[in-house]
Amino acid sequence: MAKRELPKHVYRQRNGIYFQRRGWPSRKFESEFGTASFWKEYADILATKDQPKVIAHRSFVALIKSYRASPRYRNLKPRTGLDYDKHLDFFASIMGDRNPAKMQRKDVIRLRDANAEKAYFANYSLRVLRVLMEHCVDLGWRDNNPARGVPELRTEKREREPWPRQLLDAYREACPLGTRQRLVMELCVCTGQRIGDVLNMRWSDIQDGGFCVKQSKTKKELWVPILPELEAALKAASRHSVFIATNERGTNRWSYRGASAAVRAVREQIGALDYDIHSWRYNAACELVEAGCGDDLVASITGQSPAMVLHYTKKVRQKVRAIEAQRMRTEQKQNV
């Protein structure tokens, strides 16, 4: 495609077509050249008033600021955004004034390997850096993404498991009724929902003796009956907010970061660091299987797909089936 075929201020680069005009920010076109949507994009750019200032100094601080203002970042789920922020702040602290256009693949690998003793952190940093450098490409600051294709560190993945009964009892003993830590645990275990959905629960969601839940991840709508353990925790809870799990002042929703930190303190106290908040969702699914519920009944509470029900309950399912198999084996011998 020759330059003369393109409209004014539009240029073809190796990774796409860009609007580039002195004093204006560089913009990558999402639509294919010549289509109606392309011309609409072009017209919208020209019609935009109060164009933001061009970032004169190309640095990681400037890149991160630009990324946080982009739809790519704004469209992240709140929990993911919090996770990204930790790594973006980390990049800003160690590479703040450096020019991201000069980063090479070897630099990405060096950064990854520098955190090899914290493999999860190193791998998550690599994922966030990959996204950040893609934004750098979209700005027209560079032609390629040096983080693309860099492999993550190999780790021995430990499968998440439900909390053992003795640790759940220890948690309840450490967090009596009326504490926020106890309330959030009972909400998670008794309803089988993700922590994000639990923290979004409102008093108005309680209808006909159960919780009306719309899962943020799957958009599934569920009605989950309230168990006696949860009913006791709800009766002891403060009602100064529309939200059930609230912050320290009791006036607003408890943040994920705040809830996670509070629960972790209890986990450290009772020796349960191998089991996290999400493991409580495993407890709900496994308790249902142990009670004799089929996959459809488990899914009616957790909202999971058949495959995820199997994944969450495979160990306890094997144990339940093994007990049944040995019982049948013993009975068969007695009847011989």
Side-chain angles (χ1 to χ4, degrees):
M1 183 186 302
K3 171 65 185 79
R4 57 186 172 79
E5 297 179 16
L6 298 173
K8 193 175 183 180
H9 308 303
V10 177
Y11 299 87
R12 162 73 72 176
Q13 297 198 20
R14 288 171 54 186
N15 63 318
I17 301 176
Y18 286 81
F19 179 93
Q20 294 177 320
R21 181 178 180 182
R22 184 181 297 275
W24 294 47
S26 176
R27 293 274 296 273
K28 182 181 180 181
F29 285 91
E30 301 293 333
S31 307
E32 185 177 351
F33 174 70
T35 62
S37 55
F38 170 87
W39 291 111
K40 183 179 185 304
E41 276 190 74
Y42 181 67
D44 289 344
I45 292 173
L46 292 178
T48 302
K49 296 181 179 179
D50 300 323
Q51 290 291 333
K53 295 180 180 179
V54 176
I55 302 171
H57 178 57
R58 295 183 179 181
S59 65
F60 270 94
V61 168
L63 177 62
I64 291 168
K65 181 178 180 180
S66 173
Y67 170 66
R68 280 178 163 148
S70 71
R72 182 176 295 183
Y73 174 82
R74 294 198 304 268
N75 291 336
L76 294 175
K77 292 186 180 298
R79 164 73 186 279
T80 305
L82 287 174
D83 290 339
Y84 272 43
D85 283 341
K86 290 184 290 187
H87 297 276
L88 293 172
D89 293 341
F90 170 65
F91 297 149
S93 68
I94 63 172
M95 302 183 293
D97 291 332
R98 296 183 185 179
N99 188 347
K102 295 182 178 180
M103 176 172 262
Q104 300 180 37
R105 180 184 172 92
K106 65 179 182 180
D107 301 320
V108 176
I109 294 173
R110 188 180 299 118
L111 178 63
R112 179 202 64 186
D113 293 347
N115 295 286
E117 74 282 358
K118 299 180 292 184
Y120 178 83
F121 180 86
N123 289 337
Y124 206 113
S125 290
L126 180 58
R127 294 170 211 164
V128 177
L129 183 60
R130 195 175 292 131
V131 174
L132 183 63
M133 297 309 294
E134 196 65 31
H135 182 69
C136 187
V137 173
D138 290 347
L139 289 176
W141 290 10
R142 59 182 301 144
D143 293 332
N144 57 12
N145 184 340
R148 183 181 295 171
V150 174
E152 295 184 3
L153 297 173
R154 289 189 177 184
T155 59
E156 184 177 344
K157 189 174 181 180
R158 179 183 176 275
E159 290 194 13
R160 187 180 271 112
E161 295 183 5
W163 286 51
R165 174 54 57 186
Q166 65 270 23
L167 286 181
L168 278 182
D169 292 341
Y171 188 98
R172 288 187 170 107
E173 184 176 349
C175 305
L177 290 173
T179 61
R180 294 180 301 151
Q181 294 92 329
R182 175 67 172 273
L183 177 61
V184 77
M185 185 273 280
E186 299 293 4
L187 285 167
C188 288
V189 173
C190 294
T191 67
Q193 302 306 306
R194 299 175 184 85
I195 182 62
D197 293 324
V198 164
L199 295 176
N200 282 331
M201 288 178 176
R202 301 168 180 248
W203 291 105
S204 59
D205 294 331
I206 301 176
Q207 299 177 23
D208 300 325
F211 271 100
C212 293
V213 179
K214 183 175 182 179
Q215 296 183 329
S216 59
K217 184 175 182 178
T218 66
K219 307 306 178 186
K220 290 182 179 178
E221 295 185 4
L222 307 170
W223 178 79
V224 182
I226 296 175
L227 294 178
E229 302 96 310
L230 177 54
E231 185 175 8
L234 291 171
K235 286 182 178 179
S238 167
R239 293 198 178 212
H240 296 300
S241 171
V242 296
F243 294 100
I244 296 177
T246 60
N247 57 19
E248 289 184 356
R249 296 184 299 276
T251 57
N252 208 342
R253 174 187 179 274
W254 203 4
S255 68
Y256 170 79
R257 184 172 293 178
S260 179
V263 171
R264 181 179 176 83
V266 181
R267 290 164 55 208
E268 290 178 349
Q269 176 185 340
I270 65 175
L273 285 179
D274 288 339
Y275 304 92
D276 61 9
I277 288 179
H278 192 68
S279 294
W280 286 332
R281 185 161 156 85
Y282 281 67
N283 280 93
C286 290
E287 287 179 8
L288 289 164
V289 169
E290 289 174 325
C293 297
D295 291 356
D296 59 330
L297 291 180
V298 176
S300 72
I301 299 295
T302 64
Q304 295 166 314
S305 67
M308 289 308 295
V309 170
L310 287 172
H311 173 71
Y312 273 55
T313 63
K314 60 183 177 183
K315 285 192 175 182
V316 72
R317 186 187 302 265
Q318 183 275 326
K319 183 178 179 180
V320 168
R321 298 299 291 164
I323 292 173
E324 177 66 11
Q326 294 292 56
R327 183 189 65 77
M328 295 173 65
R329 184 180 185 184
T330 300
E331 290 179 353
Q332 194 274 336
K333 288 181 178 180
Q334 291 174 347
N335 292 331
V336 173

